[in-house]
């Protein structure tokens, strides 16, 4: 028995925490049972098998825009980058966005990503085109995609709020936010209020990008947590970046982490983008020291669900990216000194099951879970992080969709 007829038998798989290799029977896209089984199947020869990677935060609508940039378009300030993006957006069509994003989607799949949440810019230049393109891509995609409507230009003024309602009607799965784009602290809080009002009215989740400036002055995470509890949206809100948590005094951070846990906020961290983004601060006379990342270890140890995303992939804001979640976890381990014995497992969880939890997907290596799986050449998590990033098999809904980084006929 191997692939076909809704059945796939994987032989001799190494599962973390189990002393012997196991056979895994997959039936109709779900893990049916794990143990010793009769019959032939795909021999994994003792290689590590894990739940598929979940890229919890990315911007597929902008992915690979560097292919269209000239040398003078690189290395600009955040403000200049936003202006350049407007220029590109004025030429957006639904078709050309899909055409540019599709190869990146397949590159992510080859790197073991079986589900992702993409932001889609909603603004005065591209209107709903990016969102429409992402919704179409989701329909065509072999992997799970959630589309988050992202108000790139803020939410002040009638029109912007209306666009977010139109985004929900068009098929956005949830609403994003960017409070720091607003001009005053009061407007930043109002930005959150507008989102909560829309989320409650339409019964959708929120995924807010906040506290990304590397300044302790921009600290909205406690307010987000309070509003989540007030609006009884526990478990339905994600906070992406949350860098300021690492910049405030330790006791304030500890109180905030407790509040985040109580509000069941899912925290998303995007290591590469967090380290590279430059926010000029008032009074800056020279380039500031390098950026921080949120308090990942402290959040995990407190039981907060923390997931990892690649964020931007080869675009105006971030020219790097090879679609590898392994590389992202490596970077996170360096930046947050994740050197404890359990940390390689923590890193893998953040890159897979934790993101799946945020997306409401049933992931895990247990019977009944979705058969979205990766098989590595390595035999444990640490070796997988330290090895070349190529993944032996990527399995989606019980079908092998990529082998050695190449799409199969099922992919
Ligand atoms: Zn982002």
């Amino acid at each position: 028995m191997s692939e076909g007829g809704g059945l796939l038998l994987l032989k001799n798989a190494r599962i973390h925490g189990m002393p012997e290799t196991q056979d895994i029977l997959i039936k109709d896209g779900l893990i049916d049972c794990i143990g010793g089984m009769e019959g032939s199947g795909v021999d994994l020869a003792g290689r590590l098998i894990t739940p598929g990677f979940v890229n919890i935060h990315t911007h597929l609508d902008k992915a690979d825009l560097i292919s269209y940039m000239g040398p003078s378009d690189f290395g600009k300030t955040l403000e200049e980058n936003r202006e350049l993006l407007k220029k590109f957006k004025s030429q957006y069509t639904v078709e050309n966005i899909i055409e540019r994003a599709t190869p990146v989607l397949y590159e992510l799949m080859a790197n073991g990503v079986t589900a992702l949440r993409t932001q889609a810019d909603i603004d005065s230049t591209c209107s709903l085109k990016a969102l429409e393109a992402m919704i179409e891509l989701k329909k065509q995609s072999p992997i799970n995609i959630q589309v988050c409507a992202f108000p790139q230009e803020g939410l002040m003024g009638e029109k912007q709020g209306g666009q977010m309602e139109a985004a929900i009607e068009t098929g956005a799965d949830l609403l994003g936010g960017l409070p720091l784009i607003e001009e005053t602290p009061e407007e930043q809080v109002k930005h959150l209020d507008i989102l909560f009002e829309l989320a409650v009215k339409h019964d959708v989740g929120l995924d807010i990008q906040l506290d990304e400036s590397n300044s302790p002055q921009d600290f909205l995470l406690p307010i987000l947590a309070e509003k989540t509890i007030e609006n009884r949206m526990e478990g339905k809100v994600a906070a992406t970046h949350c860098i300021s948590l690492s910049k405030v005094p330790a006791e304030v951070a500890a109180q905030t982490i407790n509040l985040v846990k109580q509000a069941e906020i899912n925290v998303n961290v995007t290591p590469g983008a967090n380290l590279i983004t430059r926010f000029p601060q008032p009074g800056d006379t020279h380039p500031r020291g390098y950026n921080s990342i949120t308090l990942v270890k402290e959040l995990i140890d407190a039981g907060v669900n923390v997931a990892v995303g690649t964020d931007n992939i080869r675009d105006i804001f971030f020219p790097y990216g090879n679609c590898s979640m392994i590389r992202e976890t490596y970077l996170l381990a360096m930046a947050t000194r994740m050197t404890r014995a359990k940390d390689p497992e923590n890193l893998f969880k953040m890159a897979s099951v934790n993101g799946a939890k945020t997306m409401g997907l049933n992931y895990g290596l247990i019977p009944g879970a979705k058969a979205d799986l990766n098989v590595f050449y390595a035999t444990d998590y640490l070796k997988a992080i330290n090895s070349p990033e190529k993944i032996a098999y990527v399995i989606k809904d019980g079908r092998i969709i990529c082998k050695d980084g190449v799409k199969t006929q099922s992919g």
Side-chain angles (χ1 to χ4, degrees):
M1 184 181 7
S2 62
E3 221 182 339
L7 288 176
L8 175 66
L9 179 59
L10 302 172
K11 302 287 287 184
N12 305 310
R14 176 86 50 200
I15 297 176
H16 175 77
M18 290 193 179
E20 308 291 331
T21 60
Q22 304 289 325
D23 302 333
I24 303 171
L25 180 65
I26 293 164
K27 204 171 168 184
D28 298 328
L30 301 176
I31 296 173
D32 189 61
C33 57
I34 297 173
M37 269 166 263
E38 295 293 315
S40 61
V42 179
D43 186 9
L44 302 189
R47 292 180 189 127
L48 178 70
I49 191 162
T50 71
F53 285 137
V54 177
N55 185 0
I56 198 61
H57 183 93
T58 188
H59 298 257
L60 277 183
D61 57 341
K62 303 184 186 86
D64 237 352
L65 270 176
I66 58 162
S67 306
Y68 301 86
M69 287 162 60
S72 62
D73 293 332
F74 288 79
K76 302 288 190 186
T77 65
L78 188 62
E79 234 8 83
E80 288 166 334
N81 282 338
R82 284 184 174 147
E83 281 309 306
L84 180 61
L85 181 60
K86 270 190 195 168
K87 204 177 95 190
F88 280 110
K89 280 183 179 174
S90 65
Q91 290 152 31
Y92 270 7
T93 64
V94 172
E95 292 73 25
N96 69 27
I97 299 168
I98 295 173
E99 198 181 325
R100 181 167 40 73
T102 301
V104 182
L105 175 66
Y106 279 90
E107 203 179 321
L108 284 160
M109 277 168 49
N111 280 284
V113 173
T114 46
L116 65 85
R117 176 179 283 179
T118 184
Q119 306 289 310
D121 283 11
I122 310 290
D123 59 34
S124 56
T125 316
C126 72
S127 188
L128 298 181
K129 281 181 200 156
L131 181 87
E132 286 166 17
M134 291 301 103
I135 290 170
E136 188 51 40
L137 194 68
K138 173 184 167 174
K139 284 184 201 153
Q140 301 169 8
S141 168
I143 67 168
N144 295 88
I145 294 183
Q146 277 182 356
V147 182
C148 182
F150 177 51
Q152 173 81 59
E153 290 176 349
L155 288 170
M156 295 306 106
E158 255 336 91
K159 203 166 166 240
Q160 262 75 3
Q163 281 208 323
M164 293 299 266
E165 292 225 89
I168 297 170
E169 280 154 27
T170 307
D173 295 295
L174 72 165
L175 298 179
L178 188 67
L180 207 55
I181 197 83
E182 310 296 358
E183 282 177 14
T184 65
E186 292 73 28
E187 286 181 350
Q188 291 170 10
V189 173
K190 195 174 167 204
H191 183 110
L192 293 179
D193 285 333
I194 292 169
L195 289 173
F196 274 102
E197 201 183 315
L198 286 169
V200 169
K201 182 176 166 192
H202 296 279
D203 191 24
V204 293
L206 294 174
D207 187 333
I208 319 285
Q209 299 190 51
L210 83 182
D211 300 352
E212 69 273 35
S213 67
N214 278 288
S215 164
Q217 267 79 50
D218 298 317
F219 191 42
L220 288 169
L221 186 58
I223 299 172
L224 182 76
E226 280 164 9
K227 288 186 185 297
T228 300
I229 295 167
E230 264 168 43
N231 286 283
R232 310 184 85 170
M233 282 190 62
E234 290 94 336
K236 293 182 180 170
V237 177
T240 299
H241 307 313
C242 309
I243 294 172
S244 307
L245 188 64
S246 67
K247 301 267 177 170
V248 295
E251 63 276 21
V252 177
Q255 282 164 11
T256 305
I257 290 172
N258 279 339
L259 198 56
V260 165
K261 168 82 178 138
Q262 198 192 327
E264 297 172 47
I265 287 182
N266 298 297
V267 172
N268 301 332
V269 55
T270 65
N274 287 164
L275 291 173
I276 215 166
T277 310
R278 179 163 180 258
F279 282 85
Q281 298 293 320
D284 275 1
T285 51
H286 60 86
R288 291 161 69 239
Y290 294 107
N291 295 2
S292 184
I293 276 189
T294 196
L295 295 178
V296 170
K297 281 188 290 192
E298 289 80 352
L299 285 161
I300 294 171
D301 292 349
V304 174
N305 188 53
V306 183
V308 178
T310 61
D311 217 331
N312 308 62
I313 298 169
R314 304 189 298 262
D315 66 22
I316 292 158
F317 300 102
F318 189 85
Y320 301 102
N322 67 348
C323 295
S324 164
M325 295 292 286
I326 289 277
R327 185 178 285 191
E328 215 62 49
T329 59
Y330 181 84
L331 201 53
L332 182 59
M334 301 303 107
T336 59
R337 302 183 185 127
M338 294 189 72
T339 53
R340 302 172 302 182
K342 244 187 124 50
D343 282 338
E345 183 184 359
N346 284 331
L347 289 162
F348 259 80
K349 281 184 175 169
M350 284 192 279
S352 57
V353 288
N354 293 8
K357 186 179 175 198
T358 304
M359 285 181 67
L361 299 170
N362 175 21
Y363 268 36
L365 265 162
I366 46 168
K370 265 172 92 64
D372 289 6
L373 304 162
N374 286 330
V375 177
F376 294 85
Y377 282 99
T379 50
D380 64 42
Y381 290 132
L382 184 57
K383 286 178 185 146
I385 293 170
N386 288 336
S387 302
E389 295 159 28
K390 194 175 276 185
I391 297 175
Y393 296 107
V394 181
I395 298 166
K396 174 75 188 113
D397 295 322
R399 291 178 299 115
I400 296 173
I401 57 166
C402 293
K403 196 176 169 187
D404 283 329
V406 178
K407 192 166 85 67
T408 65
Q409 282 192 332
S410 304

